[in-house]
Amino acid sequence: MLKDHWPLLGLRLTTPRLELRLPGEGELAALAELAAEGIHPPEEMPFLFPWTDLPPAARARSVVQHHWLRRGDWTPENWSLALAVFFEGRPVGFQDFAARDFGTLRRTSSGSWLGRRHQGQGIGTEMRTAMLHLAFEGLGAAEAVSGALEHNAASLAVSRKLGYERDGVERVVIRGRATTEIRLRLPRARWEAAADRAAADRAPVTVTGLEPCLPLFGAVRVA
Ligand SMILES: CC(C)(COP(=O)(O)OP(=O)(O)OC[C@H]1O[C@@H](n2cnc3c(N)ncnc32)[C@H](O)[C@@H]1OP(=O)(O)O)[C@@H](O)C(=O)NCCC(=O)NCCS
């Protein structure tokens, strides 16, 4: 089976409402169609690389190619797990989970998007919680980092709710204009402290199929 050679195909993160895993072919097509339908109002640009400015068909194709690329160029020293997010059995969005030199730095980073009709229902918070659970509880990460453009209230709210702290700013050019990206950082101690404080409202997460993936992440087993 392909999974014997690419165990990431067997990795699953489950929350009360969501499943995060690599998509199959038809599911990847559905994800691409979701991106073609739109991720944000055209006058806004939440991404550092403005791939959503592509016309819908090219935007859909870029989703497909992105998934293939991330599988193709994976190494334990530099990886990016392009997870599809499933709600009621259908793909609703994308959660990226990435690291360079994880075995040494123990730091992960992330990016995400949801189809527009699936936004504002707490799904973004739940899927990031799942990703952070994999980082801290599954892989033993020391910190998780992220970033959001200063006008991206929803993304900043998700990070704030999950305990990230601001970690400086970066000036970037988006659509030819200077914009500020806010860097965010969640050290392990804050994740653990938040677990105590917010035990009641942080979504519980189950991870299955992780063990055979650990060498691919450059990680060792966490007791
Ligand atoms: C960013 C994104 C993934 C967040 O997911 P989501 O499911 O919409 O977010 P949630 O429903 O979990 O909301 C999280 C918080 O953001 C708040 N929020 C959402 N939209 C907001 C807005 N426009 N202004 C202020 N706060 C907002 C919510 O109120 C919620 O906080 P609360 O629970 O305290 O009320 C999603 O909105 C998205 O895909 N946006 C477009 C692409 C994008 O921006 N990707 C991230 C690039 S860094």
Side-chain angles (χ1 to χ4, degrees):
M1 280 168 70
L2 190 55
K3 197 170 71 155
D4 297 334
H5 308 287
W6 198 245
L8 295 161
L9 289 168
L11 180 64
R12 272 174 177 61
L13 316 184
T14 314
T15 70
R17 293 188 297 169
L18 309 176
E19 184 175 67
L20 280 69
R21 58 175 169 79
L22 292 180
E25 266 189 30
E27 295 162 343
L28 181 54
L31 199 60
E33 276 147 32
L34 204 59
E37 286 168 25
I39 295 172
H40 54 80
E43 64 276 14
E44 294 173 12
M45 176 44 68
F47 300 110
L48 285 177
F49 178 73
W51 63 279
T52 44
D53 277 345
L54 290 166
R59 196 186 312 148
R61 194 161 55 244
S62 81
V63 168
V64 175
Q65 286 190 287
H66 180 81
H67 279 255
W68 287 340
L69 180 67
R70 289 300 169 239
R71 293 184 202 190
D73 70 359
W74 185 293
T75 65
E77 294 76 34
N78 186 5
W79 49 260
S80 175
L81 185 65
L83 293 165
V85 179
F86 295 85
F87 175 62
E88 295 177 343
R90 284 178 307 145
V92 294
F94 165 78
Q95 178 70 58
D96 185 42
F97 175 53
R100 277 176 191 243
D101 296 313
F102 181 80
T104 310
L105 297 175
R106 312 201 77 72
R107 179 181 63 209
T108 65
S109 64
S110 63
S112 62
W113 57 263
L114 287 166
R116 276 185 84 175
R117 65 178 181 277
H118 303 292
Q119 296 174 13
Q121 302 163 46
I123 294 176
T125 306
E126 202 164 313
M127 66 203 215
R128 185 100 70 90
T129 303
M131 193 263 334
L132 290 170
H133 182 96
L134 173 61
F136 287 113
E137 314 300 336
L139 302 184
E143 60 177 359
V145 298
S146 191
L149 297 177
E150 61 181 348
H151 59 262
N152 195 338
S155 181
L156 289 167
V158 170
S159 296
R160 190 175 56 245
K161 284 173 63 177
L162 293 174
Y164 287 77
E165 55 195 3
R166 291 189 176 215
D167 188 31
V169 296
E170 195 79 47
R171 292 290 281 162
V172 293
V173 178
I174 310 283
R175 288 179 170 165
R177 293 174 57 179
T179 310
T180 299
E181 185 199 22
I182 297 174
R183 289 199 304 253
L184 298 151
R185 179 170 175 268
L186 178 59
R188 186 176 186 87
R190 278 179 73 91
W191 164 260
E192 287 171 351
D196 297 339
R197 261 199 332 276
D201 63 348
R202 189 196 277 174
V205 183
T206 307
V207 180
T208 54
L210 178 60
E211 183 80 29
C213 303
L214 291 174
L216 283 171
F217 286 119
V220 291
R221 194 172 198 290
V222 181

